[in-house]
Coordinates of all heavy atoms in Angstrom, one line a residue:
Y309 N -15.9 27.6 21.0 CA -16.4 26.7 20.0 C -16.6 27.5 18.7 O -17.3 28.5 18.7 CB -17.7 26.2 20.4 CG -18.0 24.8 20.0 CD1 -18.4 23.8 20.9 CD2 -17.8 24.4 18.7 CE1 -18.6 22.5 20.5 CE2 -18.0 23.1 18.3 CZ -18.5 22.2 19.2 OH -18.7 20.9 18.8
S310 N -16.0 27.1 17.6 CA -16.2 27.8 16.3 C -17.2 26.9 15.5 O -17.2 25.7 15.6 CB -14.9 27.9 15.5 OG -14.0 28.6 16.3
T311 N -18.1 27.6 14.8 CA -19.1 26.8 14.0 C -19.0 27.3 12.6 O -18.7 28.4 12.3 CB -20.5 27.1 14.6 OG1 -20.8 28.5 14.4 CG2 -20.6 26.7 16.0
L312 N -19.5 26.4 11.7 CA -19.6 26.7 10.3 C -20.9 26.3 9.8 O -21.1 25.2 9.2 CB -18.5 26.0 9.5 CG -17.0 26.5 9.8 CD1 -16.1 25.5 9.2 CD2 -16.8 27.9 9.3
P313 N -22.0 27.1 10.0 CA -23.3 26.7 9.4 C -23.3 26.8 7.9 O -22.5 27.4 7.3 CB -24.2 27.8 10.1 CG -23.3 28.9 10.5 CD -22.0 28.4 10.7
A314 N -24.3 26.2 7.4 CA -24.4 26.1 5.9 C -24.7 27.5 5.3 O -24.2 27.8 4.2 CB -25.5 25.2 5.5
E315 N -25.4 28.4 6.1 CA -25.7 29.6 5.5 C -24.6 30.6 5.5 O -24.5 31.5 4.7 CB -26.9 30.2 6.2 CG -28.2 29.4 6.1 CD -28.2 28.2 7.1 OE1 -27.3 28.2 7.9 OE2 -29.1 27.3 7.0
D316 N -23.7 30.6 6.5 CA -22.7 31.5 6.7 C -21.4 30.9 7.2 O -21.4 30.4 8.3 CB -23.1 32.7 7.6 CG -22.1 33.7 7.8 OD1 -21.2 33.8 7.0 OD2 -22.2 34.5 8.7
R317 N -20.4 30.8 6.4 CA -19.2 30.1 6.8 C -18.3 31.0 7.6 O -17.1 31.1 7.4 CB -18.4 29.6 5.6 CG -19.2 28.6 4.8 CD -18.5 28.2 3.6 NE -17.3 27.4 3.9 CZ -17.3 26.1 4.1 NH1 -18.4 25.4 3.9 NH2 -16.2 25.4 4.4
S318 N -18.9 31.8 8.6 CA -18.1 32.6 9.5 C -17.7 31.8 10.7 O -18.2 30.7 10.9 CB -18.9 33.8 9.9 OG -20.1 33.4 10.6
V319 N -16.8 32.4 11.5 CA -16.3 31.7 12.7 C -17.0 32.2 14.0 O -17.1 33.4 14.1 CB -14.7 31.9 12.8 CG1 -14.2 31.2 14.0 CG2 -14.1 31.4 11.5
H320 N -17.3 31.3 14.8 CA -18.0 31.6 16.1 C -17.2 30.9 17.2 O -17.1 29.7 17.2 CB -19.4 31.3 16.1 CG -20.2 31.8 15.0 ND1 -20.8 33.0 15.0 CD2 -20.4 31.3 13.7 CE1 -21.4 33.3 13.8 NE2 -21.2 32.2 13.0
I321 N -16.7 31.6 18.1 CA -15.9 31.0 19.2 C -16.4 31.6 20.5 O -16.6 32.7 20.7 CB -14.4 31.3 19.0 CG1 -13.9 30.8 17.7 CG2 -13.6 30.7 20.1 CD1 -12.5 31.1 17.4
I322 N -16.5 30.7 21.5 CA -16.9 31.1 22.8 C -15.7 30.8 23.7 O -15.2 29.7 23.8 CB -18.2 30.4 23.3 CG1 -19.3 30.8 22.4 CG2 -18.4 30.7 24.8 CD1 -20.6 30.1 22.8
N323 N -15.3 31.8 24.5 CA -14.0 31.7 25.2 C -14.3 30.8 26.5 O -15.3 30.9 27.1 CB -13.6 33.1 25.6 CG -12.2 33.1 26.2 OD1 -11.4 32.1 26.0 ND2 -11.9 34.1 27.0
I324 N -13.3 30.1 26.8 CA -13.4 29.3 28.1 C -12.7 30.0 29.2 O -11.6 30.7 29.0 CB -12.7 27.9 27.8 CG1 -12.8 27.0 29.1 CG2 -11.3 28.0 27.4 CD1 -12.4 25.6 28.9
C325 N -13.2 30.0 30.3 CA -12.7 30.7 31.5 C -11.5 30.0 32.0 O -11.3 28.8 31.8 CB -13.7 31.0 32.6 SG -14.2 29.4 33.3
A326 N -10.7 30.7 32.8 CA -9.5 30.1 33.4 C -9.8 29.2 34.6 O -10.7 29.5 35.3 CB -8.6 31.2 33.9
I327 N -9.1 28.1 34.6 CA -9.2 27.2 35.8 C -7.8 27.1 36.3 O -7.0 26.3 35.7 CB -9.9 25.9 35.4 CG1 -11.2 26.1 34.7 CG2 -10.0 25.0 36.6 CD1 -11.9 24.8 34.2
E328 N -7.5 27.7 37.4 CA -6.1 27.9 37.8 C -5.5 26.5 38.3 O -4.3 26.3 38.1 CB -6.0 28.9 38.9 CG -6.4 30.3 38.4 CD -6.4 31.3 39.6 OE1 -6.0 30.9 40.7 OE2 -6.6 32.5 39.3
D329 N -6.4 25.7 38.9 CA -5.8 24.5 39.5 C -5.3 23.5 38.4 O -4.5 22.6 38.8 CB -6.8 23.8 40.4 CG -8.1 23.5 39.7 OD1 -8.3 24.1 38.6 OD2 -8.9 22.7 40.2
I330 N -5.7 23.6 37.2 CA -5.3 22.7 36.2 C -4.5 23.4 35.1 O -4.3 22.8 34.0 CB -6.4 21.8 35.6 CG1 -7.5 22.7 35.1 CG2 -7.0 20.8 36.6 CD1 -8.7 22.0 34.4
G331 N -4.2 24.6 35.3 CA -3.2 25.3 34.4 C -3.8 26.0 33.2 O -3.2 26.2 32.3
Y332 N -5.1 26.3 33.3 CA -5.7 27.0 32.1 C -5.5 28.5 32.3 O -5.5 29.0 33.4 CB -7.2 26.7 32.0 CG -7.6 25.3 31.9 CD1 -8.7 24.7 32.4 CD2 -6.7 24.4 31.1 CE1 -9.0 23.4 32.2 CE2 -7.0 23.1 31.0 CZ -8.2 22.6 31.5 OH -8.5 21.3 31.3
L333 N -5.3 29.2 31.2 CA -4.9 30.6 31.2 C -6.2 31.4 30.9 O -6.9 31.1 30.0 CB -3.9 30.9 30.2 CG -2.5 30.2 30.4 CD1 -1.6 30.5 29.3 CD2 -1.9 30.5 31.8
P334 N -6.5 32.4 31.7 CA -7.6 33.3 31.4 C -7.3 34.1 30.2 O -6.2 34.5 29.9 CB -7.8 34.1 32.7 CG -6.4 34.1 33.3 CD -5.8 32.8 32.9
S335 N -8.3 34.5 29.5 CA -8.1 35.3 28.3 C -9.4 36.1 28.0 O -10.5 35.6 28.3 CB -7.7 34.5 27.1 OG -8.8 33.6 26.8

Side-chain angles (χ1 to χ4, degrees):
Y309 217 130
S310 301
T311 66
L312 293 171
E315 296 81 9
D316 183 13
R317 299 179 66 91
S318 59
V319 179
H320 306 271
I321 302 176
I322 296 179
N323 189 25
I324 181 171
C325 66
I327 304 176
E328 297 179 356
D329 55 344
I330 53 177
Y332 299 147
L333 300 178
S335 61

